[in-house]
Amino acid sequence: MYDLCRLVVTPNTVINLEGNYVADSGAAIYVEVPPIHSIINVTNRACFMQYNCLCNDSLQDFPPQEWKNVSINFIKNRALLSGAAIYASDMRFCTWLSNYSSTNLLLNNSTIFKLPQELSKLNPFYFESNDVLAKVENASFMDTDLGTDPLLIIASVDGEESGVIVQPGEIVSIDLYAIDQFGNYQEAVWSVEAPGLQAANLDAFSANGGTYLYVVPPFSKLPLADSLVGTFTLNFTLLRTLGLMSNITFSVNNCHPGYVKKNDVCVCDTSNPDIAHCDNENRYVYLREGLLGSLSDVDRSLTTARVFQGYVNCSRLGKLPGCRFDFDQPEGRCQAGRNGSLCKTCASGYAITMDLQHCLEVEFCAAGDTILVLLCIFVVFISFFILLFNVELPNEMKGFVFYVQVIGLVYRPYSIAQSTYDKIQDIGVFLNLLGFSLPIPLCLSPSIKAYYVALFGYISPLLVMISIATYVLAARCIKFFSDRSALKGITFLSLFVYKYIADASFLLISCQNTQYGFVFQYDGTQRCDDIPFVIFFIIGILLVLFFVVPVPFIISYIIVKRPVHFYQYVDVLTEGLCTKCRWWGGWDIGRRLPFVFVAYLVVFETPTLVLTLMSFLALAVLIVHLFTKPYKKWQINLIEALILLNLVMVTIAYLDPFTSPVPMGLKTFLSVLPYAYPVVYTMWRIGSRFSKKYHHGNKNTSNDTSTLLLPVEGKQDDASKKRTDLLTATSQTSSSSDTPSSSPSSSLRVTADSISSLREPLLDS
């Protein structure tokens, strides 16, 4: 229908419009009406759909809910673009001015065709399964039944219609949308008028919207108040009889951060080493991973600070390196859940975890106190169990224990790089089981600062040392404890005490030099020279200098130079080692130290550099083991070599957390593979013990049992024989070096000590 044509219905009318298809708009009804230049006093009498009541007053307007016995059905009609049932160039005349209509006559869907919900049962119009083939991708709502010509046009840049900051030489992507009376996006033809351009018609944009690329002209061609600062406007017009217009205002304020003026336009500052590259639109710069960008308060120039890679909200350009610096969105530079000048503090409503890697919502910290108490009880229980039964760490398991204490440090840079506020990697929880981190990413309270959380690292070793001290004191008073040696158990626990103290101490001295001064690595607001943090910093320094670093050297010195004075402890550390490799007891403890140092003190922009150092350390440990072959049994040397080789492969697999060709499944498999070894080893030990008992029982039944009670001459346990040989050699060396007047009592004393049993009481009463 065109112009003033009307479709008039009367009472008792039924119209079915079903199964119509059109390759444009309006499959059932298509209407072209004259343009409306004014909508004052618009009534339903101007609509293309009219109702005649056949009564005396033919001019009386009846609302649709009062049309008598009228049914107009639109069923299974299809259009290509819009308005599968009805498409009209303008439906504003079809708005019934009553209490049910919207007050917004420009954009509303209160037409006579779709009444409000409370009158839906009285609506004479029925719509069912009408469809538009060209679906609008970016529209959250689309009325497939009705459509009109555009009544509103929008020009924006990332949703902003004014105040967009641009620079000369920048390619601006302007989104253009035309919207009809029902909020549907419609196809339209535009024209543009802008500085540096003559008025020009643009191509037709589909209902999915269009993007117009505008190159900002040089400074000299812009209408700026001065040479570098000002505003200008782009005007867009819809080429229809309605003459709709839209404009967008841009601001120019010198060049963007990371760009410099050259030949009257702004170009990427390639001389800045912190910039990885610039984008194709000459708007944003991409900083190297691990750098946080900010604007100088003086001239808005680009400044950078080194932070952990996972602290920054990193937006990449494809597979290219670097994170985009959004100079116009300062609130989005940090990872979700973090804020602060260096993104090192948790945002409001978040709390830092015990491993200092994640910020979790406070609701996840409700059970933190209870879990921490249970963990402390577990540490005390397992410590007393090891001491009471004098559990030793066999040589077959020393390589595995080293692996589980180091793998958490290897995974840590990767975990921080991949950290998000709402996601904790399960593999990270598993690998940190015996590392510094607690078995779960536990958070307590948002009021607890990061350096207090770091102090919790001393809880585990402190509880273990208290357990050891309690056991030693009990051995002096209670015969049950004094008759049981705990030296092997103490040696076993000392490995974990040393590792935990090393972790916590290096954490406390992790300070970084930034533009804000020396700040704690895990809290950018905490200066390292402020009280009380400086006290904790001094404690960490003292523990590192006088405990963590010297302990491996002291142990090696005792084993090599003073074995007689600490022969019981030396026996435990050197049991099963080759004669020339007795120093391995100190190396076994000290080889953890380089990994701890690199994990907590060596900070680079990317975890790749940290993991590269760790891969070299793992390779060095493997090479030392292969050349030394410290154990007498070749099987133990082989098993530990395989575990160390797996450690090297794991460090290589985790080198790059984002572009690594190694799939995550393979990384996880390599990481957890050594954990299968203790299961196999335990099953083998249990099988061997049952096998020995079985053969021993058969022997008792076939031989005279009385002979089993007699001492076997020449039999001696390996540890006692080794200590006897050691002390005998030491005694001979002393005799040869002493004067002829040496007393025989000295020789007698050495002999008495040498025949003492290894499993003598821990302390003499």
Side-chain angles (χ1 to χ4, degrees):
M1 297 188 295
Y2 296 92
D3 201 1
L4 299 179
C5 292
R6 300 289 183 267
L7 177 60
V8 180
V9 295
T10 58
N12 304 315
T13 300
V14 176
I15 301 176
N16 292 322
L17 299 171
E18 182 177 357
N20 299 288
Y21 171 77
V22 66
D24 196 338
S25 301
I29 298 177
Y30 180 88
V31 182
E32 286 280 359
V33 299
I36 299 175
H37 299 287
S38 174
I39 57 174
I40 300 176
N41 296 325
V42 175
T43 65
N44 188 46
R45 287 191 293 270
C47 182
F48 60 88
M49 180 74 69
Q50 294 292 317
Y51 172 75
N52 189 348
C53 66
L54 300 179
C55 56
N56 295 329
D57 189 1
S58 61
L59 298 178
Q60 178 67 39
D61 289 327
F62 290 88
Q65 65 270 21
E66 296 180 8
W67 295 5
K68 295 181 179 180
N69 298 326
V70 175
S71 177
I72 304 176
N73 305 311
F74 299 88
I75 302 174
K76 294 183 180 180
N77 298 288
R78 294 191 303 165
L80 179 62
L81 299 180
S82 67
I86 304 174
Y87 185 93
S89 58
D90 199 331
M91 288 193 190
R92 286 178 291 174
F93 277 142
C94 299
T95 300
W96 191 270
L97 297 182
S98 68
N99 294 332
Y100 302 109
S101 64
S102 172
T103 57
N104 183 358
L105 298 181
L106 179 61
L107 273 180
N108 67 81
N109 56 5
S110 299
T111 64
I112 65 173
F113 305 107
K114 291 191 176 181
L115 299 181
Q117 183 67 30
E118 59 269 22
L119 300 177
S120 59
K121 295 182 179 180
L122 302 176
N123 192 355
F125 300 96
Y126 175 75
F127 302 91
E128 179 184 342
S129 302
N130 299 292
D131 191 24
V132 173
L133 300 182
K135 299 291 185 181
V136 179
E137 300 175 357
N138 55 359
S140 58
F141 166 80
M142 182 177 183
D143 191 333
T144 58
D145 299 320
L146 306 176
T148 69
D149 285 352
L151 296 181
L152 180 67
I153 60 176
I154 299 176
S156 64
V157 176
D158 295 332
E160 298 292 336
E161 300 179 26
S162 63
V164 180
I165 302 176
V166 296
Q167 65 181 359
E170 179 180 345
I171 303 175
V172 185
S173 298
I174 304 175
D175 299 322
L176 303 176
Y177 290 103
I179 304 176
D180 70 3
Q181 181 178 348
F182 303 98
N184 300 321
Y185 291 94
Q186 298 289 5
E187 186 179 72
V189 180
W190 305 68
S191 68
V192 61
E193 182 180 358
L197 292 176
Q198 295 180 350
N201 295 340
L202 307 180
D203 293 335
F205 291 149
S206 70
N208 285 310
T211 300
Y212 172 61
L213 299 180
Y214 173 67
V215 180
V216 181
F219 284 104
S220 59
K221 295 185 178 181
L222 289 174
L224 304 179
D226 55 34
S227 59
L228 299 178
V229 180
T231 60
F232 65 95
T233 303
L234 270 67
N235 296 315
F236 294 92
T237 304
L238 194 64
L239 297 183
R240 297 294 294 237
T241 56
L242 295 175
L244 297 178
M245 295 185 61
S246 178
N247 58 65
I248 182 169
T249 303
F250 295 107
S251 299
V252 177
N253 188 7
N254 209 327
C255 291
H256 295 330
Y259 287 83
V260 293
K261 184 179 179 181
K262 183 178 181 181
N263 297 330
D264 206 27
V265 295
C266 298
V267 297
C268 184
D269 186 8
T270 56
S271 63
N272 191 335
D274 294 338
I275 297 177
H277 61 91
C278 296
D279 63 8
N280 298 327
E281 289 79 24
N282 277 2
R283 179 171 180 82
Y284 297 108
V285 296
Y286 286 78
L287 302 177
R288 289 188 292 114
E289 283 91 342
L291 291 179
L292 176 66
S294 59
L295 298 179
S296 171
D297 296 333
V298 179
D299 56 358
R300 296 184 70 255
S301 60
L302 175 64
T303 60
T304 58
R306 191 186 332 179
V307 298
F308 287 118
Q309 187 170 352
Y311 290 179
V312 181
N313 184 14
C314 187
S315 176
R316 290 178 173 79
L317 182 61
K319 294 185 178 181
L320 294 177
C323 300
R324 191 175 73 184
F325 172 57
D326 295 325
F327 65 91
D328 50 352
Q329 297 179 358
E331 67 281 355
R333 296 172 190 167
C334 298
Q335 184 66 264
R338 292 187 174 273
N339 60 13
S341 56
L342 297 175
C343 297
K344 294 185 178 182
T345 56
C346 294
S348 177
Y350 295 83
I352 194 167
T353 56
M354 296 288 288
D355 55 9
L356 299 178
Q357 296 186 28
H358 306 89
C359 290
L360 291 183
E361 294 186 52
V362 177
E363 61 185 38
F364 295 108
C365 307
D369 298 338
T370 303
I371 297 176
L372 181 61
V373 172
L374 294 177
L375 290 173
C376 292
I377 296 175
F378 173 78
V379 170
V380 173
F381 172 79
I382 199 68
S383 299
F384 273 102
F385 178 84
I386 293 175
L387 293 172
L388 185 62
F389 293 96
N390 198 25
V391 178
E392 67 172 336
L393 179 63
N395 292 330
E396 292 87 347
M397 294 295 294
K398 289 183 178 179
F400 171 74
V401 172
F402 168 75
Y403 176 85
V404 297
Q405 288 189 338
V406 168
I407 188 60
L409 302 175
V410 172
Y411 183 77
R412 185 178 180 84
Y414 178 88
S415 175
I416 294 179
Q418 295 280 5
S419 67
T420 57
Y421 80 102
D422 59 349
K423 182 180 180 181
I424 304 297
Q425 297 92 343
D426 295 335
I427 181 63
V429 176
F430 181 79
L431 296 181
N432 282 319
L433 183 62
L434 297 178
F436 166 72
S437 304
L438 294 175
I440 60 173
L442 179 68
C443 58
L444 300 178
S445 170
S447 61
I448 301 179
K449 295 186 177 181
Y451 60 86
Y452 286 116
V453 175
L455 287 174
F456 285 125
Y458 290 119
I459 292 180
S460 295
L462 184 61
L463 291 176
V464 173
M465 289 188 292
I466 292 175
S467 301
I468 294 175
T470 303
Y471 190 93
V472 172
L473 292 176
R476 291 184 174 275
C477 306
I478 303 175
K479 186 175 182 356
F480 174 79
F481 294 105
S482 62
D483 291 340
R484 304 175 68 91
S485 174
L487 184 60
K488 293 181 179 180
I490 293 175
T491 306
F492 185 13
L493 291 175
S494 64
L495 286 175
F496 296 93
V497 171
Y498 176 81
K499 172 63 167 52
Y500 287 131
I501 292 180
D503 284 337
S505 300
F506 275 106
L507 267 178
L508 283 178
I509 64 176
S510 299
C511 289
Q512 178 187 2
N513 186 20
T514 67
Q515 64 264 39
Y516 308 100
F518 279 93
V519 297
F520 186 42
Q521 189 70 261
Y522 302 93
D523 186 353
T525 62
Q526 178 59 55
R527 292 180 57 89
C528 293
D529 54 357
D530 289 344
I531 301 294
F533 182 82
V534 66
I535 300 176
F536 304 138
F537 182 83
I538 294 175
I539 293 175
I541 287 289
L542 293 177
L543 286 174
V544 169
L545 294 180
F546 298 102
F547 178 78
V548 176
V549 174
V551 161
F553 297 98
I554 293 174
I555 293 176
S556 298
Y557 176 79
I558 290 174
I559 293 175
V560 176
K561 297 296 185 180
R562 293 291 187 268
V564 177
H565 301 82
F566 305 94
Y567 63 87
Q568 288 181 315
Y569 184 60
V570 171
D571 281 345
V572 175
L573 291 177
T574 60
E575 184 177 1
L577 294 176
C578 299
T579 305
K580 297 181 179 180
C581 302
R582 297 170 59 82
W583 54 269
W584 189 265
W587 165 256
D588 182 38
I589 297 177
R591 58 182 174 174
R592 294 159 172 78
L593 185 58
F595 291 90
V596 177
F597 175 82
V598 171
Y600 296 119
L601 285 190
V602 180
V603 180
F604 290 107
E605 290 86 355
T606 62
T608 301
L609 299 177
V610 178
L611 288 169
T612 300
L613 290 178
M614 287 192 174
S615 63
F616 282 115
L617 290 176
L619 183 61
V621 172
L622 175 61
I623 293 175
V624 170
H625 178 82
L626 292 177
F627 277 94
T628 303
K629 298 177 182 178
Y631 299 102
K632 294 179 181 179
K633 295 182 178 180
W634 65 270
Q635 299 94 328
I636 301 178
N637 290 323
L638 177 61
I639 291 172
E640 186 163 328
L642 292 176
I643 294 176
L644 295 177
L645 177 61
N646 186 83
L647 179 63
V648 175
M649 292 189 296
V650 169
T651 56
I652 296 175
Y654 282 113
L655 276 181
D656 194 329
F658 300 104
T659 60
S660 175
V662 182
M664 189 60 196
L666 181 58
K667 294 177 183 178
T668 303
F669 174 76
L670 292 175
S671 301
V672 302
L673 180 60
Y675 287 86
Y677 169 68
V679 178
V680 176
Y681 175 75
T682 302
M683 295 176 62
W684 175 76
R685 288 293 299 266
I686 294 174
S688 299
R689 176 163 297 186
F690 277 105
S691 177
K692 288 181 180 179
K693 286 186 177 181
Y694 175 77
H695 291 296
H696 184 69
N698 290 341
K699 185 177 180 180
N700 288 344
T701 57
S702 59
N703 296 289
D704 185 5
T705 57
S706 62
T707 61
L708 297 177
L709 302 177
L710 297 177
V712 181
E713 186 175 357
K715 295 280 185 177
Q716 191 177 17
D717 73 317
D718 293 339
S720 298
K721 183 177 180 181
K722 179 177 64 174
R723 187 177 66 252
T724 302
D725 295 341
L726 168 66
L727 298 179
T728 302
T730 305
S731 176
Q732 293 174 355
T733 303
S734 302
S735 301
S736 62
S737 59
D738 291 344
T739 59
S741 61
S742 299
S743 62
S745 62
S746 174
S747 176
L748 179 62
R749 176 177 56 80
V750 172
T751 303
D753 289 341
S754 65
I755 63 176
S756 61
S757 174
L758 177 64
R759 295 187 58 85
E760 64 183 359
L762 176 64
L763 296 172
D764 295 333
S765 302

